[in-house]
Amino acid sequence: MSRTLRYIRILSWLFLAGGAGAAMVLAAFYLYLQPGLPSVDQLRDVNFQTPLKVYTRDSKLIAEFGEMRRTPRDLEAVPGHQIQAFLAAEDSRFHEHHGVDLRGLIRATWELAITGSIQSGGSTITMQVAKNFFLSRDQTFLRKFNEILLALQIERELSKDEILELYVNKIYLGNRSYGIEAAAQVYYGKPITDLNLAQMAMIAGLPKAPSTANPLADPERALERRDWILSRMASLGYISDDEYRKATSKGVSARYHGPELALNAPYVAEMARREALRQFGQQIYSEGYEIHTSVHSARQQAATRALRQGLEAYDRRHGYRGPVDQWAPEMLNDRDALSKRLEDLPRVNDLVPAAIVGLNDNAATAVTALHDSVTIPMRHMRWAREYINENRTGPEPESPQDVVSVGDVVYVRIPVQDVLRPESEQDTLTAELMQIPEIQGAIVSMSPDDGRIEALSGGYSFSMSSYNRATQAYRQPGSAFKPLIFLAALEHGATAATTINDAPIVFDDEDLETAWRPQNAGGQFRGPTTLRQALYQSRNLVAIRLLRQTGIQRTLNYIDSLGLDTSRLPSDLSLALGSGAMTPMEMTRAYAMIANGGYEVTPWVVERIVGPEGKVLREAPETHQCNDCSKDPEVLDATLPDLDRNSGSNRDTDPVRPVHTMERVADEEAIYILQSMMRDVIERGTGRAARSLGREDLAGKTGTTNNQLDTWFMGFNTGIATGTWVGFDQPRSLGRREFGSVTALPIWKDYMEVALQGMPEKLMERPAGIVSRRIDPDTGESASTDNPDARFEIFRSRYAPEPVSPGDSGSRDENGRGENGESTPAQQLF
């Protein structure tokens, strides 16, 4: 045997022995690791970590909560070029191997040796799926071996399309985006189906280094990666040479896009999130839960806009407080550095931070983070009188130099139509000088029929303060509380024609150092005044005497029976002036009870909560009104079903809804009279500005506390009740000319102008026990038909005065007794 043959034989035996040894080692690893491998069956029922989404009643997205942004897509809905771009970048032989590609591993090793870096990667898409779903990111041999074993197992049990669908929905692509749909929205602000070839290739290049080589963090590196992927697509025959040239000619068009929200309703979204978290726990942030709220997008948008405009209007009336900062002139020369500093300042709603870089006689020139030149004409600075205090401002400015200086950092508003203009025309952008209001406010609007929240905003800017003033701010309602005092009196025998003396009164209180001398607004007294006049003229002294004669404790007990919290209400006569503390939500709830004819109202904001696979887990209750629930067997038999019994997985499944009964808590005759009196507040009283809405069915009440610390307007018709509050978070005077009719009513009116669209006028139906009588408006006594000043008043029949015949003077003695010595029902109590 020749020496050469002997060597060949020896080498062959060594090769066989080495191969056998390697096989034994691999088999040992497999036998050791295989029992601990997870079951691939888990991938068939995988639930992608999908954030919580919050919608309006008409399905407009208002918020997303969760660390991961993801919107899973079926593979059929993914563009072919997007799949091809991933295959070109990550695994061009995906359809040929069985989970592990030896050729790809060799190629990656060769690239590393030749270029010092790996372009195409050694892991197959199947191996990446195994790693992303089951394994840690530790760079160890055992983890890599597990990855290979899992990839082989996955390939045996799943189809190629199933593996691809898992991959494109699971892969992390930077900036909190998981999956291709989320990446398309984050980087380009549109769905994956709307991307062009260059953008698809850019997304396909992200898995290699999603945090450091994405087009936002490193545009040049991302562009280089994109062009390499496009060249691979061309060499593999996925695209033509012409498509390749056109795609590589495009620049980097990516920029960060937050969640595409249809409208701004963060206070509503936060209320809904808290309720869902309380019911279902932390899983709501990752398992694709949806909350559908009660608010309607058009009304919510109107409420947000009305509140912001109202607060800005107040802020302008009280002058300009100066710039938020002052930067040295040398800092203005480096525009890139200047833009970066401005970018670090917060945007507040649609107000953008800007630096003043130039002045002339007619305008100021400013720079924002996104605009090199913005003009602020003098007409948009004319409002900026110097703020002195809440009651005084300086003279009207005559030139831009009277308002701002070069280096001032201010806030501006650029009209949306200007921002949307082509970039080539944006060198002439016009802006309006603004400032962030210190004043705050809230608006709550609900349906009186079932307590559904139609719209809500708890402040000027949620990003500045998440404190929800609509539900958390306990403030004095002032005269807006008076309708409850009057309602208690009406239920206990008073009438709209009851006359009480509007005259000075002094109360001595041993707990006070000085006597209490309550005043009317303006300090005037009108003498004997009917309750109707006293309410629409907001006469404080009449309200105090009325409360004293009804009884403080009796009134508090009555208010408690309405379902309102009386723990923050005083047990003294200041109750008549609204000196207790209530939130805008509580006040609106009380007015909704008046609006619906006297039924208790429980506000709610979550219409339904939808869990994974579209299963409805919770739904708002179905409401029923009952006059006497103890005698209504149908209501008594109503149960609260277990919604978890709903086994349907269809999104359109209609589960059995829980039932909520709205009990009657106020007499409908008293409510009917009170509504009539409150309509006069708008027709001839402190709410006259609301007449511009041109409706006959609106009722309401203004409220202003001592020293103008809090201002309110509460109003309603039978279809909607809305409350607005304006004040400072740390109470201080709004100014001596600021009342509820000046600050809160315009917000209410602007909102209701939208909310009432399409809502027919409707008054409460007249109860059978209501009668009309002709009275003298000055005395409240019955009047004959020949009295030229007489008018009709409505009464509960058992408290109505006797009609007077023509020529009868209707005279009464000093105690209010008629000729037969009997008292009318009104005098029996008052």
Side-chain angles (χ1 to χ4, degrees), residues 313-330:
Y314 169 90
D315 195 60
R316 287 184 168 214
R317 287 197 298 273
H318 291 267
Y320 181 57
R321 296 185 299 276
V324 297
D325 204 350
Q326 233 290 332
W327 292 347
E330 56 268 20

Side-chain angles (χ1 to χ4, degrees), residues 93 101-109 120-122:
R93 299 185 66 251
D101 184 13
L102 292 177
R103 188 183 302 178
L105 289 172
I106 294 170
R107 183 180 65 250
T109 303
S120 55

Side-chain angles (χ1 to χ4, degrees), residues 399-658:
S399 69
Q401 288 83 354
D402 293 337
V403 181
V404 294
S405 303
V406 172
D408 280 1
V409 180
V410 299
Y411 276 89
V412 299
R413 173 181 285 136
I414 302 174
V416 174
Q417 61 269 24
D418 287 350
V419 175
L420 297 178
R421 283 160 49 194
E423 291 186 12
S424 59
E425 299 178 14
Q426 289 193 7
D427 58 344
T428 57
L429 285 177
T430 297
E432 182 179 5
L433 179 68
M434 299 294 297
Q435 67 183 356
I436 300 171
E438 293 180 347
I439 193 75
Q440 282 293 350
I443 181 169
V444 182
S445 183
M446 71 178 66
S447 166
D449 294 333
D450 56 10
R452 179 180 65 244
I453 302 296
E454 294 285 351
L456 180 147
S457 183
Y460 181 75
S461 169
F462 185 85
S463 64
M464 291 184 64
S465 170
S466 60
Y467 179 57
N468 189 343
R469 296 153 189 87
T471 60
Q472 296 175 293
Y474 287 90
R475 307 300 289 251
Q476 292 185 346
S479 294
F481 192 78
K482 286 178 182 173
L484 299 179
I485 302 296
F486 279 61
L487 180 60
L490 290 172
E491 287 245 27
H492 290 92
T495 75
T498 296
T499 302
I500 292 181
N501 195 19
D502 179 25
I505 189 171
V506 178
F507 296 97
D508 291 316
D509 191 331
E510 60 184 16
D511 295 328
L512 299 176
E513 294 182 1
T514 59
W516 182 40
R517 293 180 171 82
Q519 300 286 321
N520 289 319
Q524 298 177 335
F525 306 100
R526 298 183 182 273
T529 306
T530 64
L531 293 192
R532 179 179 292 274
Q533 291 173 313
L535 186 61
Y536 73 70
Q537 294 174 354
S538 200
R539 312 306 292 173
N540 290 339
L541 296 173
V542 172
I544 291 170
R545 285 188 166 94
L546 180 65
L547 173 60
R548 185 173 63 175
Q549 294 170 356
T550 306
I552 296 172
Q553 193 56 51
R554 178 189 283 182
T555 300
L556 285 170
N557 292 342
Y558 177 76
I559 293 172
D560 182 72
S561 73
L562 299 179
L564 299 175
D565 182 9
T566 57
S567 63
R568 292 182 175 86
L569 302 183
S571 299
D572 56 44
L573 290 174
S574 70
L575 175 69
L577 306 185
S579 65
M582 299 185 75
T583 67
M585 177 71 81
E586 289 177 327
M587 287 295 295
T588 306
R589 178 189 177 199
Y591 274 67
M593 178 275 299
I594 299 172
N596 68 25
Y599 295 94
E600 62 87 16
V601 176
T602 301
W604 53 270
V605 75
V606 174
E607 190 166 78
R608 67 181 184 277
I609 299 176
V610 180
E613 301 180 5
K615 179 181 178 182
V616 177
L617 303 177
R618 289 289 185 273
E619 196 165 15
E622 181 180 349
T623 58
H624 297 282
Q625 294 179 346
C626 66
N627 288 314
D628 188 349
C629 296
S630 63
K631 297 179 181 179
D632 192 339
E634 181 179 345
V635 172
L636 286 175
D637 291 340
T639 59
L640 300 178
D642 181 4
L643 291 179
D644 290 334
R645 293 181 304 180
N646 173 28
S647 59
S649 61
N650 191 305
R651 190 175 296 272
D652 296 327
T653 299
D654 185 18
V656 178
R657 296 173 61 186

Side-chain angles (χ1 to χ4, degrees), residues 658-671:
V659 175
H660 172 69
T661 57
M662 299 173 62
E663 297 186 32
R664 174 170 290 285
V665 292
D667 181 83
E668 63 177 334
E669 296 173 3
I671 288 286

Side-chain angles (χ1 to χ4, degrees), residues 35 73 104 123 193 225 255 272 287 290 318 351 360 389 446 523 661 758 809 812:
R73 270 192 175 271
S123 294
T193 51
R225 175 76 174 165
R255 63 182 181 88
E287 296 189 11
E290 294 179 358
H318 291 267
L351 307 188
N360 59 40
N389 57 45
M446 71 178 66
T661 57
S809 64
R812 297 287 188 270

